[in-house]
Amino acid sequence: MSLRFGYGTNGFANHRLADALDVLAELGYTGVALTLDHAHLDPYAVDVKDQVARTARLLAERELAVVVETGARYLLDPRRKHAPTFLHEDAPRRVDFLKRAVDIAAELNAEAVSFWAGVRPAHVSADVAWQLLAEGCAEVVAYAAERGVAPGFEPEPGMLVETLADWQRLRGLVGEQLKLTLDIGHCRANEPVTVEECVRIAGPHLVNVQIDDMRRGVHEHLEFGTGEIDFPPVLRALADTGYTGLVAVELPRHSHAAPEVAARSLTFLRAAQWLGDALDKLARDPAAIATLLPAARRGVGRAAAEDARVRLLHAAAPGAAAAAELYRYGDNDEKRAVLLACPAPDLVRDALRSNDTRLVAAALGPGARDLPAAEWRQGVLKSVFMGLPLSGVDGLAERADTELGRMLAALRHEREAAGRTMPADAVELLERLH
């Protein structure tokens, strides 16, 4: 099942809303997570009804689905971030805001409206805070039911409800109509189980998903590939839950480069979904590697293709005969992946006889460990002759010996006689061996 990717408008804070929607539609996103704020559909504006009608028209014209987000920092109070919340003395202002958000969501035919608890003030006890939260949420959830809007409550690190377990406790107090917004990054930051397990737990209750990368113990929304989350199995787990709502990128601190970040994000997510589906297919049918390996570049793009091929081969774990077949009939990109993932001495020898620098470099990786010393030395010498960096030769520090030094000295003499020089790293190795 193909997931539907969206992008949060809080990551386009420097764009007009119409311009942001244009960029996202042109890139190929299928929806947006619309954060109600001063610049993007202010629910307190005098002309809010006109803004809502215009936004509905913009979304329809661009065929973009929408969820409504309510995490604006200073919309309700210019001096206190995110205040007031359910837990403050002036909590009715938060409830009023959320009801306005529900009304807007209903007019936009939004798939959900998302909200959170807030940080517990120091003077409010935990018991009182939970009571205030449950009462406020119950009022919002009841109002959302009247308007036919799905209420997605988001566990947020540092707030009163920050984990799935906390959300389950709140749901027990509010009722089963309270649904869930899940931020994938938060699962890595502060949940006690794996991200995939979080997704499986959350699946039956999801009405909204936010996605970003994070590191353990740090609540910082990161671009994909710069945190610690392994996204292919996470996206596969999300698809397996049957979730059909938006999966919206949540990068609120990246507005300075919004179009570029949004483009990179969609490319990454599409590639991760393809790889997750491919890995799932291999788990059921390892022989599918024969068709998936050639399809990797098309599936994940050129830049990520080699890593994807290697990962697919590790997952398929082909035997020696199957690996040899993949190598024999594959193009040089596929041959290189086999050398990196499941090398065998015969395949390494074949690669070292080639004139493709990428194959020679791969052959001198870990797969060369089983080569006899004489063959390994010839491989290193060929690497120097081709101008490949010696840093890529596996085990060089341990295996380099005086005989290799003699061979390098002879090559150096030959080159100098022809008016050519040796690569600096080869000269350094030669000097160390003599």
Side-chain angles (χ1 to χ4, degrees):
M1 181 180 69
S2 181
L3 296 172
R4 300 164 59 231
F5 296 119
Y7 201 93
T9 59
N10 59 358
F12 272 79
N14 301 322
H15 283 67
R16 298 179 185 88
L17 181 57
D19 292 339
L21 298 181
D22 280 340
V23 172
L24 295 172
E26 289 167 5
L27 288 173
Y29 283 94
T30 60
V32 294
L34 173 60
T35 297
L36 305 181
D37 208 343
H38 300 286
H40 292 166
L41 215 171
D42 182 353
Y44 295 99
V46 174
D47 64 341
V48 62
K49 290 185 178 180
D50 292 338
Q51 287 192 37
V52 171
R54 178 171 178 267
T55 301
R57 185 173 66 255
L58 291 172
L59 291 167
E61 289 171 352
R62 290 152 184 79
E63 297 182 336
L64 292 170
V66 65
V67 295
V68 172
E69 298 282 351
T70 59
R73 293 182 176 94
Y74 293 100
L75 179 63
L76 302 186
D77 190 317
R79 295 173 181 82
R80 297 181 298 162
K81 178 182 175 182
H82 290 154
T85 71
F86 288 111
L87 314 179
H88 288 95
E89 289 84 354
D90 46 351
R93 289 181 58 205
R94 170 63 56 173
V95 172
D96 172 73
F97 166 53
L98 293 177
K99 288 182 176 180
R100 290 171 184 252
V102 167
D103 288 336
I104 291 171
E107 295 300 319
L108 296 179
N109 196 29
E111 298 180 5
V113 63
S114 182
F115 56 104
W116 34 244
V119 177
R120 179 171 66 86
H123 67 279
V124 178
S125 70
D127 289 343
V128 170
W130 276 96
Q131 180 181 351
L132 293 172
L133 177 61
E135 291 172 353
C137 282
E139 186 174 349
V140 172
V141 167
Y143 189 76
E146 292 175 8
R147 296 302 315 268
V149 174
F153 190 96
E154 179 189 1
E156 185 82 20
M159 294 190 177
L160 183 65
V161 174
E162 57 181 343
T163 65
L164 288 171
D166 293 335
W167 173 83
Q168 288 168 335
R169 175 183 175 182
L170 180 63
R171 187 167 183 258
L173 297 172
V174 174
E176 294 186 357
Q177 286 184 311
L178 181 68
K179 303 302 181 181
L180 179 63
T181 290
L182 184 70
D183 187 308
I184 298 297
H186 296 170
C187 297
R188 176 57 186 162
N190 71 332
E191 291 285 355
V193 297
T194 66
V195 180
E196 298 98 294
E197 184 61 22
C198 286
V199 168
R200 283 188 281 268
I201 293 170
H205 313 291
L206 288 174
V207 293
N208 184 28
V209 172
Q210 302 166 354
I211 193 163
D212 43 76
D213 212 344
M214 283 195 192
R215 299 188 181 97
R216 188 70 179 165
V218 182
H219 184 201
E220 180 182 3
H221 295 251
L222 303 173
E223 274 200 72
F224 301 114
T226 63
E228 298 172 343
I229 298 176
D230 182 17
F231 283 94
V234 170
L235 294 179
R236 183 64 243 177
L238 184 58
D240 286 344
T241 68
Y243 175 71
T244 59
L246 285 178
V247 181
V249 179
E250 175 81 355
L251 292 172
R253 298 183 180 180
H254 291 70
S255 291
H256 62 284
E260 294 83 4
V261 174
R264 287 196 297 267
S265 297
L266 188 56
T267 297
F268 180 96
L269 289 170
R270 285 172 170 170
Q273 183 174 12
W274 184 90
L275 184 53
D277 291 345
L279 291 169
D280 181 68
K281 187 173 184 179
L282 286 173
R284 293 179 278 108
D285 179 18
I289 188 65
T291 56
L292 291 171
L293 194 64
R297 178 172 175 175
R298 185 171 64 253
V300 304
R302 183 174 184 176
E306 180 162 288
D307 288 344
R309 293 186 193 100
V310 171
R311 185 161 182 178
L312 291 172
L313 285 163
H314 283 153
E325 285 289 294
L326 292 169
Y327 180 89
R328 179 183 177 187
Y329 293 108
D331 63 20
N332 281 0
D333 287 333
E334 293 157 38
K335 283 180 166 66
R336 178 175 162 84
V338 173
L339 291 167
L340 293 172
C342 43
D346 287 346
L347 304 183
V348 171
R349 291 186 181 99
D350 181 83
L352 288 174
R353 288 192 294 268
S354 80
N355 292 318
D356 188 307
T357 56
R358 297 174 67 250
L359 292 184
V360 173
L364 288 171
R369 293 173 186 172
D370 295 331
L371 288 180
E375 293 182 62
W376 179 81
R377 293 190 200 100
Q378 288 293 340
V380 175
L381 200 66
K382 183 167 185 174
S383 174
V384 173
F385 182 81
M386 299 178 84
L388 297 173
L390 289 176
S391 59
V393 178
D394 185 76
L396 182 65
E398 296 79 18
R399 295 191 71 176
D401 56 13
T402 55
E403 177 60 17
L404 178 61
R406 184 194 65 75
M407 296 167 71
L408 289 171
L411 179 60
R412 183 180 190 181
H413 178 74
E414 178 185 318
R415 286 204 162 196
E416 289 176 346
R420 293 181 294 163
T421 60
M422 287 269 280
D425 57 353
V427 172
E428 181 181 345
L429 175 62
L430 177 57
E431 291 175 349
R432 180 167 63 83
L433 294 174
H434 276 189

